[in-house]
Amino acid sequence: MLQSIIWSDGVLQLLNQTLLPAKVEYISCRDWQTVAEAIRRLEVRGAPAIGAAAAFGLVLGARELITDKEKFWTGLTEIAAALRKTRPTAVNLFWAIDRMLLVASRYDQGTDPAIVVAALEDEAKAIAAEDKEVNKKISLYGAQLFTRDEYAVLTHCNAGALATVAFGTALGVIRQAWSEGKIKRVFVDETRPLLQGARLTAWELAQENIPVTLITDNMAGWVMKKGMVQAVLVGADRIARNGDVANKIGTYSVAVLAKEHGIPFFVAAPVSTFDFTIASGADIPIEERSADEVSSFGGIRVAPDGIDIFNPAFDVTPNEYITAIITEYGVLRPPYDQAIADLANSEKIKIRR
Ligand code: MRU
């Protein structure tokens, strides 16, 4: 399984996801600006992967400041602020930066910056290592939801190994359930406009010989109507206290279709994707991206010049469409405000956060 993020000899290697599946090429990040640009351009993407990349970005930035004791602390704060501005929706980005700054804040300002940088590097490595473990747990809990044999499932966007440090969330569950013989086929929405489904999810699954059928986004309803899928599994970018879920644009439409057809709709996400500070999905900032992503396809313009374009990168699925949320601590069921409050107050989580 290819890794989207590799930290080796003080250099961050990011698998350039904009080139997949045509080319497997890594970007060598030696400074934080290259990491920030990679996040902005979706060369690294997916909520947990963005968080881990930003954590290493902060290490690279801190390292540049190592010889300047005067500027170290203000510089660190400025780099953190710049990394926060790269993408607004996936809360894992902010969670990872907060976690890194918390580590730095344990040292007083007179400390040798080299000591702080070493602690930051350890923390970034811990964030990456934990993501692997967390995804394994999510996969095992999620696979238990598939009680009948021979399911076909549908997924949207890419919540796989590419979107995380390893295994994936929704795709981790699919991989695990497949290995247990519970899933026979995965329908993958192509996921316009940037085709994360076609380019990334279909590619990941095909590499492991998991049977995959690619469809365009507007085919999902018909596939459900024909009884071709028995469950939907997606990842998440931010989950509010009431269980509303922000994920890739188009997820909401799939959830509404699933409910109409009586098909369970599962979300798989780590605790780092929960935003315990917001009451509902109405408070989730939704990224809007360039009009070019919609007006062209494969680099060829497909819309008339000068046309108005709306390009939100995410949408919010209201909690009433969600059958269950799979986390590393188990499966949450409605009513979500209670289940998420219990999760937020649990001792295990307090220790980790
Ligand atoms: O714009 P992207 O490709 O970063 O959007 C990614 C998604 O919406 C994923 O489904 C989500 O981050 C979950 S990844 C485990």
Side-chain angles (χ1 to χ4, degrees), residues 42 45-48 87 157-159 163-164 169 196 235-237 247-248 314:
L42 270 65
R45 33 79 36 214
R87 293 193 77 189
C157 194
N158 173 269
T164 60
T169 55
Q196 286 92 334
D237 287 87
N247 191 48
K248 179 52 57 195
F314 300 94

Side-chain angles (χ1 to χ4, degrees), residues 61-80:
R63 208 174 56 189
E64 282 168 30
L65 298 163
I66 216 161
T67 51
D68 196 341
K69 212 170 178 174
E70 293 290 295
K71 285 218 187 101
F72 183 77
W73 293 98
T74 49
L76 193 65
T77 314
E78 281 164 20
I79 294 165

Side-chain angles (χ1 to χ4, degrees), residues 208-280:
E208 289 173 45
N209 297 318
I210 300 178
V212 47
T213 301
L214 178 64
I215 57 172
T216 61
D217 300 331
N218 51 357
M219 295 173 189
W222 187 240
V223 164
M224 290 181 193
K225 174 83 178 160
K226 285 175 71 72
M228 294 165 82
V229 295
Q230 286 74 47
V232 176
L233 255 159
V234 296
D237 287 87
R238 197 185 286 231
I239 303 176
R241 280 206 310 267
N242 69 344
D244 290 351
V245 168
N247 191 48
K248 179 52 57 195
I249 189 73
T251 303
Y252 169 53
S253 317
V254 177
V256 173
L257 286 169
K259 190 165 190 171
E260 172 67 21
H261 293 92
I263 295 169
F265 182 91
F266 299 120
V267 173
V271 167
S272 53
T273 300
F274 286 75
D275 185 344
F276 298 114
T277 69
I278 58 170
S280 81

Side-chain angles (χ1 to χ4, degrees), residues 109-128:
Q109 308 233 336
T111 311
D112 177 357
I115 294 172
V116 185
V117 172
L120 287 173
E121 182 174 350
D122 286 348
E123 191 66 5
K125 284 181 183 165
I127 287 173

Side-chain angles (χ1 to χ4, degrees), residues 306-318:
I307 196 126
D308 286 342
I309 285 169
F310 178 48
N311 183 20
F314 300 94
D315 59 27
V316 175
T317 299

